[in-house]
Amino acid sequence: MTNATVLVGWRQRWNRSLLQFLGRRVRSTVEIEDLAQEIYLRLLRAPDLLQVRNPQAYLLRVAGHVVGEWRREYPPMESFSPDESDAPVDECLPELAVDATLSEQRLNQQLEQMSPMMRAVVLLRLRDEYSYKQIAQELELTLRQVRRYLARGYEQLRGVLDE
């Protein structure tokens, strides 16, 4: 069986999940379709799709990489006013930016200190918006383990934000 044949089956079975995954990360329908096509092209070039143990997780992992690359290459356009002097100035904006940067640094440090499994569970939930069930399937955990990792991870992250 060729990669193309395997990929046709994957597309029939999981294309809807892939499009939902992309829809949570990308707002334009055209971009979603382009990204889906790029994902399937990359999978066609994979060495042997028959050897993949968890095809849906593999498909979504490749999708995550493609979306990440796309975001780096095409960052969202920032809105701007034609005349910067007409823009209202917020006196607290620099302080808020500094606070946000410090909070983000502390959160990243805390994530680095977590066990690899806890960090993976927390990132799949917060960054990738996976459901508990999807996380369990992706990482081959039980739902109870996912809940436990998330509870402990959230507790650690809240501790950092409360400081």
Side-chain angles (χ1 to χ4, degrees), residues 16-135:
R16 186 176 192 168
S17 295
L18 175 64
L19 295 178
Q20 289 172 343
F21 177 89
L22 294 172
R24 289 191 301 264
R25 287 153 183 79
V26 180
R27 297 296 172 222
S28 167
T29 310
V30 174
E31 292 166 344
I32 290 171
E33 293 170 5
D34 288 346
L35 289 171
Q37 192 169 29
E38 174 64 25
I39 292 160
Y40 289 124
L41 285 172
R42 286 191 188 190
L43 289 170
L44 271 174
R45 293 188 300 253
D48 187 8
L49 294 178
L50 286 173
Q51 299 299 318
V52 176
R53 283 187 330 170
N54 190 339
Q56 185 179 19
Y58 184 72
L59 173 69
L60 295 178
R61 181 169 290 146
V62 171
H65 291 293
V66 169
V67 169
E69 290 171 12
W70 176 80
R71 282 183 177 160
R72 282 189 295 279
E73 192 168 335
Y74 303 104
M77 298 279 296
E78 293 184 25
S79 61
F80 64 94
S81 63
D83 185 6
E84 299 260 339
S85 63
D86 293 341
V89 178
D90 185 353
E91 299 292 325
C92 298
L93 193 57
E95 292 173 15
L96 292 175
V98 169
D99 286 346
T101 302
L102 289 174
S103 293
E104 184 177 349
Q105 288 173 350
R106 288 193 305 255
L107 287 172
N108 285 334
Q109 288 173 347
Q110 185 59 48
L111 281 168
E112 289 299 318
Q113 292 175 4
M114 290 179 183
S115 70
M117 185 60 74
M118 183 182 297
R119 182 173 46 248
V121 169
V122 169
L123 289 175
L124 284 173
R125 181 70 180 152
L126 296 177
R127 183 190 63 200
D128 298 336
E129 300 176 2
Y130 276 34
S131 68
Y132 286 34
K133 185 176 180 181
Q134 288 172 317
I135 295 169

